């Protein structure tokens, strides 16, 4: 193998370890060793160390064993006349470097808590986000499992100039990859280059500035490790399984731009353990291994070829969609925000009336691809204007059904958001649109909303309709009349879906998207139990199957009823056993006590039994505080994720909490004794409807939240004072 790479990686690993030891000695001289230390809001401690060693670093003293392990892993420095015939010493040096980098960063968190924002986007003058917490991991994990994100790129260094940085970024974003940024080069770094050219950085735009130093690169490997632990049910300390998982299921690569230092060589060696190849513009030797040879380090790649070369080496399949709009287009732009002085046009959001409505029409009434703007166009208004807007999508086709209309309608939100410089929030008659001055300067018009909807809906859903046309209304009187018609259609749809029950439906649907991360997890979706992630209901899955009969949503014949109270059927059991490769032979839809459904890690909420209160608490993933279970959401998710059945705990969507079958085997809503205040407010309207149905219209007010307390003892007093029904039900356990 290349002696240059090996020698550099080993020297770099020594530097990382020496810096970690120095930092530990410095902080230990003024501490007693029991100080709590780690990365914020994660159940995975220092994740690379925890994933590889199985060692929990919770206190300063816990670092001693890791530093000792680092020293054992370090191979001897290479003398000039030494040859290295094995890759293993280099891989060991890489692991030592990553362990040491995590220790250095954890100590920095302790000594300088303001070094990183800990948020999803830069805050104030601080560009650097630091380690992603588990809320971000699970929120973004859904994008990896549903296929909208094919992988991620970890960029070290800086481009030779801002223009090159912008070009590389545009190609990465068009390929829908996340981009993790760290480790500057000669007082430059890629993140600052992008910020200076007006790019919005952060998790929403998939351009994530972890930190300016080389050690901050370890946050990339920590993210990959937590994917394996939380979604893949990999056991901490099983390094072999961890690296096999990341190699097979975490498509990622390292892109090194600029002079490759010894520390970078060491980080590259760490990346090779995870199965992540390194692609660089530097003129260093390449590296391949195996039979047939696998490219591990690819060097001297021109900047205009480096993205395509990188995805080819890693084997990442990306699709660049050609959409007829004058701005860049793709999921990477979905998280952009249009603010303040950059707003050219605003519609909806309480400023004006706005609606979106997909409706079926006879084929003779539709001209496929026709887009009509009925009223003022963007060019008819000055910057900063506000207009009412009605977006009406008319479809026809032999396979088209009324039940598909809301499926298509829900696509409008993200399809519009994929246009760079266009912000869209909400749906139906609660939508909100902003178009930036930059987008208008590039030629974007309201007409392009219709053109992109026609192109993308045909591409993604063309199997269920044949013709589609779009009308955009901007006259106030037209939008007011459309609102009246659309609201009637919304109400009719809701009544139709609400009228469906599990008893009157013989076919359920599977969702196996998450098996790309959690191989033994099988989600089966019924009319009264939506998918855990909140993204798929029964109608969505039905439409998905119509569109792609060989896709992840397959019909599941319910079969003979085994237990109507628990929600178990023979046909579902047979499917679950086969789809989980024999790991799971049954589960129950309606129970938290008796063999509840499996979870993969991307659930919106987790419910857990609260024994002292004879009830159940529910926490959503956005809530970062403690719960009466004694665990935060992140710890709970790490406990029940990975495709296992865990009695006393169950993952579910927010919407599922207001469906009639939610925990019905144990008493349903009457068992809910605690949930975060923000979640109560979010689901209040639908929850109160259900509570009124069961004769307890004020039930939501009787449920405790974090303002009451986060221990069983605290909330029991509140429940007693408010006569909560759970206290009179039969014992849960």
């Amino acid at each position: 193998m290349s002696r240059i790479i090996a020698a550099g990686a080993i020297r770099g690993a020594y530097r990382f370890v020496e810096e970690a030891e120095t930092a530990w000695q410095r902080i230990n001289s003024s501490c007693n060793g029991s100080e709590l230390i780690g990365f914020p809001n994660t159940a995975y401690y220092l994740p690379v160390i925890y994933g590889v060693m199985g060692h929990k670093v919770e206190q300063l003293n816990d670092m001693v064993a890791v530093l000792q392990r680092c020293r054992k892993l370090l191979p001897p420095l290479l003398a000039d006349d030494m040859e290295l015939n094995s890759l293993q010493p280099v891989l060991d040096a890489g692991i030592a470097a990553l362990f040491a980098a995590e220790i250095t960063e954890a100590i920095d968190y302790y000594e300088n808590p303001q070094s990183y924002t800990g948020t999803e986007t830069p805050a104030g003058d601080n560009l650097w986000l630091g380690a992603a917490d588990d809320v971000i991991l699970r929120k973004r994990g859904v994008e990896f499992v549903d296929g909208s994100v094919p992988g991620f790129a970890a960029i070290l260094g800086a481009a030779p100039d801002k223009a090159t940085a912008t070009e590389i970024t545009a190609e990465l974003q068009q390929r829908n990859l996340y981009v993790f940024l760290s480790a500057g080069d000669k007082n430059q770094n890629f993140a600052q280059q992008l910020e200076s050219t007006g790019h919005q950085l952060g998790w929403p735009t998939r351009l994530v500035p972890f930190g300016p130093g080389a050690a901050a690169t370890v946050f990339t490997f920590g993210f990959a490790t937590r994917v394996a632990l939380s979604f893949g049910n990999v056991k901490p300390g099983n390094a072999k399984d961890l690296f096999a998982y990341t190699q097979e299921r975490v498509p990622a690569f390292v892109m090194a731009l600029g002079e490759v230092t010894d520390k970078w060589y060491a980080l590259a060696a760490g990346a090779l353990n995870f199965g992540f190849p390194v692609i660089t513009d530097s003129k260093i030797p390449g590296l391949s291994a195996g039979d047939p040879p696998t490219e591990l380090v690819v060097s001297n790649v021109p900047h205009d070829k480096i993205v395509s070369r990188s995805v080819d080496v890693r084997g990442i399949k990306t699709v660049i969609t050609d959409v007829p709009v004058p701005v860049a287009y793709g999921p990477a732009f979905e998280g952009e925000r249009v603010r303040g002085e950059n707003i050219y046009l605003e519609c909806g959001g309480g400023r004006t009336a706005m609606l979106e409505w997909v409706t079926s029409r006879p084929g003779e009434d539709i001209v496929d691809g026709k887009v009509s703007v009925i009223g003022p166009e963007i060019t008819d208004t000055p910057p900063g204007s506000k207009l009412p807007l009605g977006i009406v999508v008319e479809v026809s086709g032999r396979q088209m059904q009324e039940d598909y209309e809301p499926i298509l309608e829900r696509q409008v939100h993200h399809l519009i958001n994929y246009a760079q410089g266009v912000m869209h929030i909400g749906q139906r008659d609660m939508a909100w649109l902003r178009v930036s001055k930059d987008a208008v300067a590039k030629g974007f018009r309201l007409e392009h909303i219709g053109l992109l909807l026609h192109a993308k809906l045909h591409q993604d859903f063309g199997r269920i309709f044949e013709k589609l046309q779009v009308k955009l209304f901007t006259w106030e009187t037209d939008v007011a009349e459309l609102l009246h018609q659309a609201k009637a259609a919304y109400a009719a749809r809701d009544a139709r879906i609400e009228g469906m029950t599990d008893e009157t439906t013989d076919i359920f649907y599977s969702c196996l998207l998450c098996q790309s991360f959690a191989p033994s997890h099988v989600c089966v979706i019924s009319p009264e139990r939506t998918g855990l992630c909140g993204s798929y209901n029964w109608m969505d899955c039905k439409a998905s199957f119509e569109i792609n009969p060989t896709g992840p949503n397959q019909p599941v014949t319910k079969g003979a009823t085994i237990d109507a109270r628990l929600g178990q059927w023979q046909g579902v059991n047979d499917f679950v056993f086969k789809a989980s490769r024999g790991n799971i032979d049954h589960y129950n839809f309606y129970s938290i006590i008796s063999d509840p459904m499996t979870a993969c890690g991307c659930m919106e909420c987790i419910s857990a039994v609260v024994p002292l209160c004879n009830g159940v608490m529910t926490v959503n993933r956005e809530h970062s505080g403690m719960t009466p279970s004694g665990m935060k959401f992140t710890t709970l998710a790490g406990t029940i994720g990975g495709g296992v059945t865990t009695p006393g705990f169950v993952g579910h969507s927010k919407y599922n909490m207001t469906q009639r079958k939610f925990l019905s085997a144990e008493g349903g809503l009457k068992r809910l004794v605690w949930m975060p205040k923000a979640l109560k407010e979010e689901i209040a309207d639908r929850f109160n409807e259900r509570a009124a149905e069961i004769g307890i219209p004020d039930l939501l007010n009787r449920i405790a939240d974090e303002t009451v307390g986060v221990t069983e003892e605290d909330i029991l007093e509140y429940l007693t004072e408010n006569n909560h029904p759970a206290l009179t039900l039969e014992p849960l356990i």
Side-chain angles (χ1 to χ4, degrees), residues 583-610:
N583 289 300
I584 305 292
D585 60 11
H586 75 283
Y587 54 53
N588 296 310
F589 278 48
Y590 311 143
S591 178
I592 191 174
I593 297 293
S594 179
D595 298 334
M597 187 179 286
T598 59
C600 67
C602 56
M603 53 276 201
E604 285 189 308
C605 301
I606 297 172
S607 288
V609 170
V610 185

Side-chain angles (χ1 to χ4, degrees), residues 500-503 526-530 656 659-662:
M500 296 183 66
T501 67
D502 289 355
E503 289 82 2
S526 72
E528 295 187 274
R529 200 187 197 287
T530 56
N656 184 226
Q659 292 182 289
R660 293 180 179 88
K661 291 294 196 304
F662 177 66

Side-chain angles (χ1 to χ4, degrees), residues 87 215 218 284 358 370 414 454 471 473 539 596 636 658 711 725:
L87 187 61
V218 79
I284 63 173
V358 174
K370 182 179 180 181
H414 66 267
H454 174 262
K471 297 175 181 177
F473 298 84
M539 293 298 303
L636 285 164
T658 60
T711 68

